[in-house]
Amino acid sequence: MISTDVIIVGAGIAAYSVGCRLCDSGKKVIMLTKSEKQNCNSTLAQGGISVALRDDDNYMSHYEDTLTAGCNLNNKEATLELVKTAPSVIREFIDHGMNFDKNPDSSLSFGKEAAHKLARVIHAGGDRTGLKVMEQLYVNMADRTELHENEPVIDVIIKDGEAVGVVTRTADGKYHTYCAPYVVLATGGIGNLYPGTSNDHTITGDSVALGYRCGAELKNLEFVQFHPTLLTFGGKNFGLITEAVRGDGGVLINEKGEKIMEGVHPLKDLAPRDVVSRTVYKYTLAGEKIYLDISAIHDFKTRFPYVSEICETNGLDLSRNLIPVAPGAHFHMGGVKAKPTGETTVKGLYAVGEAACTGVHGANRLASNSLLEGLVFGRLTADNIISSDRKLKPCEYDFPTLEPKRPFPEKGQIKKVMMDCVGVIRTEEKMKQAIEFFEEYMPDKNGFGRINPDSVTNQELELYNMLTTGWLIAKAAYNRKESFGAHYIAEE
């Protein structure tokens, strides 16, 4: 049994934002991740960080764009907090060593992305923003925290209705119990519930499953954002083609060379992601290939080194100026219901980043608001913990006796059901089919509760979390009868 001030489950931008701030205050922090620290969505993020730092920009304009993209289903108070706090957080991050891309006159360089009225997205390393941000956070954290890699969290420990710690299991089967007055869930989203995704292979909806099992309220699970441009050919996807490519003049075309976004939306290729994804998806469903035409972008390889590397590594000849693309799961607007300060409906349990649902993204996230959310709400969550006075309580994990239902499905089965039934375009009948599929694997009629960890491997535990989260998303989607943003119901 190991005691500490704060436990952080996850190792992405939100986790490190919380951790750095806590360590600055002298808190003892233990971070836990089921793989290695680099295995997170943050290191893969090509797009930048949206922030109103230009002289001709202001946070209210950023606020309005965020609400428009989110179909006005956003939590307006939380959204205002995000965009209003953003400039000071980014300036502070720069003061702590972060270098963002600059113009020849040393001013910050701003790019334009979908659904923004003007260019307000800052980048680092061109299309390597997430990696550069994480590298700076690693430096800022230094050796001030304990990081336990390859140690998945099995469950949050609840005592008298409060979170008091977590239990983990290492690859060699050893259990560890960690006790703390604050448990922060920051494991990212749900991308690998789908066959095509921009996410790291470790991202399987673990925070949703952990939150569900300890009784936390969940919110907006039906809103799954698909990115319209994943490099895709031969039935496989090979990574994200950042939206900044379209911001710089890339155009989506079909096999005939026709611009597919003409007449679909006033913003054409820079329409909100749900609109672009549905348009591309309809073509791919009909068996037609869609390409991103990059012929208008000067010196593409210099402007987008990471995208170029992805393409060339996978045998794509960029001299043709055509990148084959298709939609893939990208970002989850839903998650464990939380305030901007991280508090959930369970005392002692906090959620931050993509694992949380503060409501700032509404039904569809505005481009480049995700890294921003991790930095801003990570800091607010840490400040909340620093100013509160929860006490450490002894914690012990009572091993449940519930056995899982076997055999488990293959990951590929889960992914196929999610894409076919709870994907880019949905129908009531398909969503119902998804619910029925998942309920076949319930250990009992009460849902996907805590199971005896001795009865499953770590790989099976991940599958169990995927089943749990898939079922919860399908139910939430079925229960929302109107189309909004990323939740689009087609007529049957």
Side-chain angles (χ1 to χ4, degrees):
M1 195 176 296
I2 303 159
S3 297
T4 189
D5 293 329
V6 184
I7 297 163
I8 301 175
V9 186
I13 189 170
Y16 268 85
S17 180
V18 175
C20 284
R21 189 81 166 179
L22 290 173
C23 289
D24 288 345
S25 75
K27 293 285 187 183
K28 183 181 176 184
V29 177
I30 291 178
M31 297 178 71
L32 303 163
T33 179
K34 71 176 182 182
S35 186
E36 298 178 355
K37 68 178 183 180
Q38 293 86 357
N39 289 119
C40 64
N41 283 347
S42 301
T43 59
L44 298 176
Q46 298 171 15
I49 297 173
S50 56
V51 56
L53 285 175
R54 275 173 44 163
D55 291 341
D56 59 348
D57 197 6
N58 60 78
Y59 70 81
M60 283 307 297
S61 177
H62 189 183
Y63 171 80
E64 290 163 3
D65 287 351
T66 302
L67 261 57
T68 299
C71 303
N72 285 294
L73 289 182
N74 315 61
N75 179 318
K76 292 179 173 58
E77 186 177 328
T79 305
L80 190 60
E81 180 116 43
L82 175 72
V83 299
K84 190 174 182 178
T85 310
S88 62
V89 170
I90 297 304
R91 289 191 188 100
E92 182 181 295
F93 193 31
I94 292 170
D95 290 342
H96 280 77
M98 183 64 203
N99 288 309
F100 290 104
D101 295 345
K102 294 182 174 62
N103 297 312
D105 64 359
S106 297
S107 62
L108 280 174
S109 176
F110 293 92
K112 193 170 190 304
E113 293 188 9
H116 289 271
K117 284 195 286 285
L118 47 72
R120 68 161 62 91
V121 181
I122 55 176
H123 295 83
D127 53 3
R128 287 187 168 99
T129 306
L131 178 62
K132 295 296 183 183
V133 166
M134 290 307 300
E135 287 175 345
Q136 186 61 52
L137 287 171
Y138 297 152
V139 170
N140 293 355
M141 181 73 85
D143 296 320
R144 298 184 296 161
T145 187
E146 268 186 60
L147 172 66
H148 297 257
E149 297 177 304
N150 300 303
E151 196 168 331
V153 170
I154 293 170
D155 271 320
V156 177
I157 300 173
I158 300 295
K159 184 176 182 181
D160 300 325
E162 300 183 17
V164 294
V166 301
V167 62
T168 69
R169 184 171 59 196
T170 58
D172 58 3
K174 292 180 180 176
Y175 292 97
H176 296 292
T177 301
Y178 297 90
C179 304
Y182 306 94
V183 176
V184 182
L185 297 180
T187 68
I190 52 92
N192 277 283
L193 267 67
Y194 293 86
T197 180
S198 62
N199 289 196
D200 185 85
H201 68 91
T202 60
I203 307 301
T204 52
D206 297 328
S207 282
V208 171
L210 288 168
Y212 164 76
R213 289 201 291 271
C214 69
E217 186 176 341
L218 308 171
K219 183 179 179 182
N220 288 356
L221 297 187
E222 63 273 27
F223 296 126
V224 180
Q225 184 179 80
F226 288 81
H227 199 288
T229 56
L230 267 61
L231 173 63
T232 306
F233 56 89
K236 295 181 180 179
N237 77 82
F238 299 91
L240 181 70
I241 307 299
T242 175
E243 197 159 85
V245 172
R246 281 175 285 137
D248 271 18
V251 178
L252 290 161
I253 63 172
N254 61 16
E255 293 175 89
K256 299 174 185 175
E258 298 166 334
K259 297 177 180 180
I260 67 169
M261 293 307 298
E262 290 285 340
V264 175
H265 190 280
L267 293 175
K268 300 180 183 178
D269 291 84
L270 291 177
R273 285 176 177 167
D274 63 306
V275 177
V276 183
S277 290
R278 282 197 298 275
T279 304
V280 176
Y281 188 62
K282 287 174 182 176
Y283 278 91
T284 58
L285 276 181
E288 189 166 354
K289 295 177 182 176
I290 297 298
Y291 298 92
L292 191 56
D293 181 352
I294 59 171
S295 57
I297 302 176
H298 176 68
D299 203 3
F300 183 86
K301 291 184 181 181
T302 301
R303 175 69 181 89
F304 299 103
Y306 185 44
V307 168
S308 299
E309 181 183 316
I310 292 171
C311 291
E312 293 177 340
T313 299
N314 291 287
L316 188 70
D317 181 8
L318 284 174
S319 68
R320 295 181 61 236
N321 288 322
L322 295 176
I323 301 175
V325 295
H330 185 54
F331 188 87
H332 195 203
M333 279 72 73
V336 180
K337 183 181 178 181
K339 298 179 181 178
T341 48
E343 297 150 290
T344 72
T345 55
V346 175
K347 289 183 179 179
L349 183 71
Y350 292 70
V352 67
E354 195 175 349
C357 179
T358 59
V360 294
H361 305 301
N364 185 35
R365 175 175 65 83
L366 180 68
S368 289
N369 268 358
S370 54
L371 292 178
L372 181 72
E373 178 190 20
L375 287 171
V376 173
F377 288 169
R379 188 176 85 166
L380 296 182
T381 297
D383 288 346
N384 178 281
I385 290 171
I386 292 164
S387 64
S388 58
D389 60 354
R390 290 183 56 79
K391 305 300 182 187
L392 178 70
K393 294 182 180 180
C395 65
E396 187 174 337
Y397 184 61
D398 294 324
F399 277 69
T401 58
L402 185 65
E403 297 287 323
K405 189 170 182 180
R406 294 182 181 277
F408 282 99
E410 297 289 332
K411 275 189 180 182
Q413 286 179 268
I414 297 173
K415 292 169 182 275
K416 187 176 188 308
V417 167
M418 289 299 289
M419 192 64 183
D420 290 348
C421 302
V422 205
V424 180
I425 298 174
R426 305 164 178 181
T427 68
E428 187 169 323
E429 181 58 33
K430 285 287 189 180
M431 290 183 283
K432 187 177 179 182
Q433 286 177 22
I435 295 170
E436 291 170 351
F437 168 82
F438 288 114
E439 289 183 347
E440 284 293 316
Y441 296 96
M442 277 184 178
D444 61 22
K445 293 182 179 181
N446 297 318
F448 288 91
R450 288 188 172 94
I451 55 173
N452 178 6
D454 280 338
S455 66
V456 291
T457 65
N458 282 355
Q459 291 73 25
E460 288 173 332
L461 179 65
E462 184 175 81
L463 275 171
Y464 188 71
N465 283 349
M466 290 174 71
L467 289 168
T468 304
T469 302
W471 174 65
L472 291 165
I473 291 172
K475 282 207 310 174
Y478 183 78
N479 288 333
R480 186 180 286 276
K481 302 301 182 183
E482 292 181 275
S483 292
F484 284 102
H487 175 62
Y488 181 80
I489 306 170
E491 292 183 10
E492 297 188 62

